[in-house]
Amino acid sequence: MRRLAARGAAGDAREVAAPGADIWDCARGWSPSSSRLTDLCALWQPGVFLPSADGSRASAGVGKSRPNEAEKLSTVWKAHIERHKASGARGLGSGEQGLVLRMARQQAPPWVHIALILFLLSLGGAIEIPMDLTQPPTITKQSVKDHIVDPRDNILIECEAKGNPAPSFHWTRNSRFFNIAKDPRVSMRRRSGTLVIDFRSGGRPEEYEGEYQCFARNKFGTALSNRIRLQVSKSPLWPKENLDPVVVQEGAPLTLQCNPPPGLPSPVIFWMSSSMEPITQDKRVSQGHNGDLYFSNVMLQDMQTDYSCNARFHFTHTIQQKNPFTLKVLTNNPYNDSSLRNHPDIYSARGVAERTPSFMYPQGTSSSQMVLRGMDLLLECIASGVPTPDIAWYKKGGDLPSNKAKFENFNKALRITNVSEEDSGEYFCLASNKMGSIRHTISVRVKAAPYWLDEPKNLILAPGEDGRLVCRANGNPKPTVQWMVNGEPLQSAPPNPNREVAGDTIIFRDTQISSRAVYQCNTSNEHGYLLANAFVSVLDVPPRMLSARNQLIRVILYNRTRLDCPFFGSPIPTLRWFKNGQGSNLDGGNYHVYENGSLEIKMIRKEDQGIYTCVATNILGKAENQVRLEVKDPTRIYRMPEDQVAKRGTTVQLECRVKHDPSLKLTVSWLKDDEPLYIGNRMKKEDDSLTIFGVAERDQGSYTCMASTELDQDLAKAYLTVLADQATPTNRLAALPKGRPDRPRDLELTDLAERSVRLTWIPGDDNNSPITDYVVQFEEDQFQPGVWHDHSRFPGSVNSAVLHLSPYVNYQFRVIAVNEVGSSHPSLPSERYRTSGAPPESNPSDVKGEGTRKNNMEITWTPMNATSAFGPNLRYIVKWRRRETRETWNNVTVWGSRYVVGQTPVYVPYEIRVQAENDFGKGPEPDTIIGYSGEDYPRAAPTEVKIRVLNSTAISLQWNRVYSDTVQGQLREYRAYYWRESSLLKNLWVSQKRQQASFPGDRPRGVVARLFPYSNYKLEMVVVNGRGDGPRSETKEFTTPEGVPSAPRRFRVRQPNLETINLEWDHPEHPNGILIGYILRYVPFNGTKLGKQMVENFSPNQTKFSVQRADPVSRYRFSLSARTQVGSGEAATEESPAPPNEATPTAAYTNNQADIATQGWFIGLMCAIALLVLILLIVCFIKRSRGGKYPVREKKDVPLGPEDPKEEDGSFDYSDEDNKPLQGSQTSLDGTIKQQESDDSLVDYGEGGEGQFNEDGSFIGQYTVKKDKEETEGNESSEATSPVNAIYSLA
């Protein structure tokens, strides 16, 4: 079951419905009405439907958003405002709310807040002259001061005004009369001053740029518009330019300048690649406010794209693209390995040097900036550095305004919205990375264009009355004020003896009909101006009512409503409200009368029903009007449809029983899936139920019962699940997502008794998780208004409970539903109920008596809360007397929670009692509490202090206790103050900071530990009470013996190669005696296997030692300690570095290369191999250059076959036709060795067979003259083709 609350009001010209809840209390987050009542708070929800302007209801979808909801709501609200405007000074009409359906609890759209502000302003607005009376002109609509137009459209400069008679219009351009009749392109709208400049027949809009001002005139005066500066939008083309590639070193900063063409208005700048892909921006790469693209440091990956600055122009909706920049990044590491991008230190991995931050923008260490009041302040700091710096913002002498400040562009920009004078000062940005930090200070000055302090208002006077026009504005610099009358400077206007100008005020005395005029106040400074029109109208009009007579207002019980009585008269009438013809004026309490005559009733009750009369009176007469108010009960669904699961073909009944006001016509309708339900042959709709016969699968869905009257409505929703015949009925709730329950609603108080009340509520939707508990909370408005306290808890199966109350508490209740998911939002509060008073039944708790000074005692207690006060004027009777003397009780009545007794002896006990009392009587007899007066400092010090040295770090103390009367308070502890005077070691600096040791209670001995050995100490003792320390005892001196030293400092183990381990250390921080040497213990280990431990002794001055490793595999564990005569001190332990095979593969490989390359045996071996290779190459070159014969036949066991071309003498020829020397090999970037195409090798001269050695070591092979390389490529040996590889094959 799902429950939705909806209430509304509707009416016609004769019968008006009062508004639902108050938007005043919605703005404060509180409403006095229960949730069942009509509630304008619903306007704060985006899912709201209001009727159209003619009062027809909109179809309300429940639980499902529709795309046109905001459009509908905005349209209806606009119609609502238009009807309000048509009603003159009334403000929003009492009956003009429409059907309000609350669908969701979300933030209000901005237009709702704007409408609320307009509505509130209308309540206190000045009374306007009805249009049937003569009046000077008033400007009602005009273009903005800076009017930028699209050159492709006709130009429209607006100027509308009202007045009686209707005003005529003329314009000035650049302060000269603008003759519209002479320009065929320019026309003025009929009955309006709006200028239209038409370019359909040609012409250039730029010719009409300038400053325009509209004048609206009738016989009673002239009103002026603002000076409207007309400008034509411009979107100039980007200048053609050829951009050279930007060459930059990796890690260096870079700025790509945009320099867009100056447009009007300024274009929007963004960066993309030439392929229209957006440039990814982050902390390292970002766009500045000036449009430039800043690189805090350039990386190799930045050259993977180009960079083009784009400018988007507002009016033409065009984007212009600058020629792209191409980056060329110089780097020490040319490989853009993607695996390094996630490296924790990508800069060191790529070999980029780290740099401290420096500012790219702004330059230098300080700058200044000026901003106008009300504008946004944008401060920007962009820094370079490696790693990329972080930016932080601060304000000197204060904090950043948290409610207005926000960070942009990855913290590089600070924006402060709606700047005011207190935002001026010095701001600084701090750019920091691990290499250091730098700051830039920006001095901000806040100036201000003129703004109104007191804007002049229209002045309506009767003949002979006095009045004044006030024009007060502020700004920085201080603006000047200029008065004009009917558009002319006041100095050049005809003199008026009834008018006096006093700076920013014009005073009118004994005004006459001839004083009618329109006055202009122009206040300006270097940053802008304000122009206001205010007319002086002199009328003699008796009171008149401006609304229809004898209206009927019908409103829902407990709602807030407003009765309107728009009126006019001159002199301005006084307005009073009466009810049912009674003589007392209605104002105050539950009533409030606004300046425009509206009567607000804060909470409608049954007794408020009746006839209300408003009477407007001035010296010329009076006028009255009547409004009949009827109070109706709310519409409420008290038995709601339940979620059901049914088999196909069965019958389902959905209940919907409604309680409503019998005088209102009730309509019950049904929705299916938030659309109106078509009642077919299989369905039967009754007043209290909907029956579906032969349920089919298409019947599955949500069903909403909507009960409505002319004034309000209520909704309840249920879901029907249809199962196939073979399916087993299951609980649909188990498959649905669970959520917190909706808030309970419609709280009612019944059975009102002296100490109890019954609270009833309607449960909200449980959201597929049964409600387990209800928590009832209360709030009272006397002691802690606005603070809610838990009252009681009830099972989830009940919705009505009797609450036990305390006397004299003005209760208000709310209910919270709880299920396994969580708690609901609190319900709207109930109406208030005050219980009758009674004497207190308890007294305050936690009574204490303690001295704050040596001659007083402060008595404190925890005050009683509202539920235990039981009556008005809760106060406390405080009694006290000295405990030993049993003197008479002193007493005083206190309204707070403390009382100070003065002139007391030092630290004596008192008996204390605190009793509660209110206007109904006293509470029970209180308990007696023992308190003490204030303490004074102790008068005596411990004597006979004896010291016995226990060891090098501890001593034993013994002293004689002081007498109790010298303590002058509660003895807290004995305390020893001691300090290290010097060390027995020469030239060792020691800290003489005082330390203390406490010995709580009254004891004669103690131990001081954690002393430094081999030192001279001094010690004093004091007695401590609650006030502080007493006098110090005689200073004692003692010396601690020698101790064991602390561990050697900075013990370091280094392994320069695989044979040696070097150890280094520093002397102990605390020798604690005379060092006699060091002991080094070390043991080799390999995994879990340990070798034999070895011990070395060193002199006290030795701080280095080298260990020769027994093998290159084992590691060593070292333990080093210093020694004094007492013994060895704490040991420092370290282990030798891990061998290569225990480190990570990459690290092991690197270490192996580094270690082996530094070994002597490895260097010798490589030299021998190089020498051998050189000798073999020389032998080959000699044989090759001689062209001799290489005898091998005698070495062969098998004679050559007939296919051998050179078998005559058992040898073959070796010669080289080209006689080319062997060329060296070339190393590629990836480290491989490749043969140049021109290289000759031994393989080039072979016939495809592999060279090999015979058993006696002689070389077997055939060499022929190289003929055509292309012919032999298919038969080449698979061996490497470089000479080095050939030699290795020989080996």
Side-chain angles (χ1 to χ4, degrees), residues 134-391:
T134 58
Q135 56 186 291
T138 301
I139 299 290
T140 58
K141 190 176 184 181
Q142 57 183 315
S143 295
V144 295
K145 293 180 181 178
D146 290 313
H147 190 31
I148 302 175
V149 296
D150 192 335
R152 300 170 299 178
D153 299 333
N154 292 336
I155 295 177
L156 202 70
I157 311 177
E158 292 184 313
C159 179
E160 306 283 348
K162 67 177 182 178
N164 189 3
S168 60
F169 298 88
H170 73 270
W171 286 83
T172 62
R173 179 185 175 198
N174 299 328
S175 301
R176 300 179 63 183
F177 176 73
F178 185 41
N179 194 339
I180 298 172
K182 289 186 177 182
D183 194 332
R185 296 192 187 95
V186 183
S187 62
M188 189 183 299
R189 286 182 176 174
R190 187 181 179 190
R191 297 180 181 177
S192 167
T194 298
L195 286 183
V196 180
I197 307 176
D198 193 343
F199 297 102
R200 286 178 295 184
S201 58
R204 297 181 63 252
E206 290 79 5
E207 297 176 357
Y208 292 89
E209 289 185 323
E211 188 178 77
Y212 293 79
Q213 191 167 25
C214 173
F215 292 74
R217 173 177 299 165
N218 67 11
K219 65 179 182 179
F220 300 116
T222 303
L224 277 64
S225 73
N226 289 322
R227 297 188 296 275
I228 301 169
R229 183 185 178 194
L230 178 68
Q231 295 175 286
V232 178
S233 172
K234 298 176 179 62
S235 53
L237 297 177
W238 221 303
K240 296 294 184 181
E241 55 182 340
N242 293 322
L243 301 175
D244 296 329
V246 180
V247 182
V248 62
Q249 183 70 35
E250 186 174 18
L254 175 65
T255 303
L256 299 182
Q257 294 184 347
C258 181
N259 297 327
L264 184 70
S266 299
V268 177
I269 304 300
F270 57 95
W271 286 81
M272 304 185 77
S273 66
S274 57
S275 58
M276 301 306 290
E277 293 291 333
I279 300 300
T280 302
Q281 299 190 27
D282 52 23
K283 186 173 71 170
R284 184 177 65 87
V285 182
S286 63
Q287 175 184 323
H289 184 63
N290 60 0
D292 294 347
L293 189 64
Y294 293 90
F295 295 76
S296 295
N297 50 77
V298 176
M299 301 300 293
L300 186 62
Q301 66 202 46
D302 295 331
M303 62 186 294
Q304 293 179 357
T305 184
D306 54 12
Y307 300 86
S308 177
C309 183
N310 296 262
R312 179 170 61 85
F313 293 90
H314 172 69
F315 281 96
T316 59
H317 300 289
T318 58
I319 296 177
Q320 296 188 26
Q321 189 176 55
K322 186 177 183 178
N323 287 343
F325 292 94
T326 302
L327 293 189
K328 183 177 180 182
V329 181
L330 306 179
T331 178
N332 299 325
N333 187 352
Y335 305 109
N336 190 13
D337 190 352
S338 60
S339 64
L340 295 179
R341 294 185 181 179
N342 296 325
H343 195 280
D345 192 354
I346 187 173
Y347 299 102
S348 61
R350 293 201 52 78
V352 177
E354 296 178 334
R355 292 183 294 103
T356 56
S358 62
F359 283 110
M360 306 174 69
Y361 180 86
Q363 300 289 334
T365 59
S366 63
S367 60
S368 62
Q369 193 165 332
M370 190 273 288
V371 64
L372 291 181
R373 180 183 185 268
M375 306 296 288
D376 285 0
L377 169 65
L378 183 67
L379 305 178
E380 191 172 35
C381 281
I382 302 176
S384 65
V386 178
T388 303
D390 294 309
I391 305 293

Side-chain angles (χ1 to χ4, degrees), residues 953 980 983 985 988-991 1010-1015 1017 1042-1049 1066-1075 1078 1122-1124 1127-1130:
T953 61
R980 191 181 182 190
S983 172
L985 294 173
L988 180 64
W989 180 87
V990 298
S991 172
R1010 302 180 67 180
L1011 303 174
F1012 285 100
Y1014 215 52
S1015 301
Y1017 276 89
E1042 195 172 6
V1044 295
S1046 61
R1049 292 181 297 169
D1066 292 345
H1067 295 301
E1069 182 180 5
H1070 301 292
N1072 296 336
I1074 300 175
L1075 292 180
Y1078 294 92
R1123 292 189 300 134
T1124 62
S1128 298
E1130 180 183 356

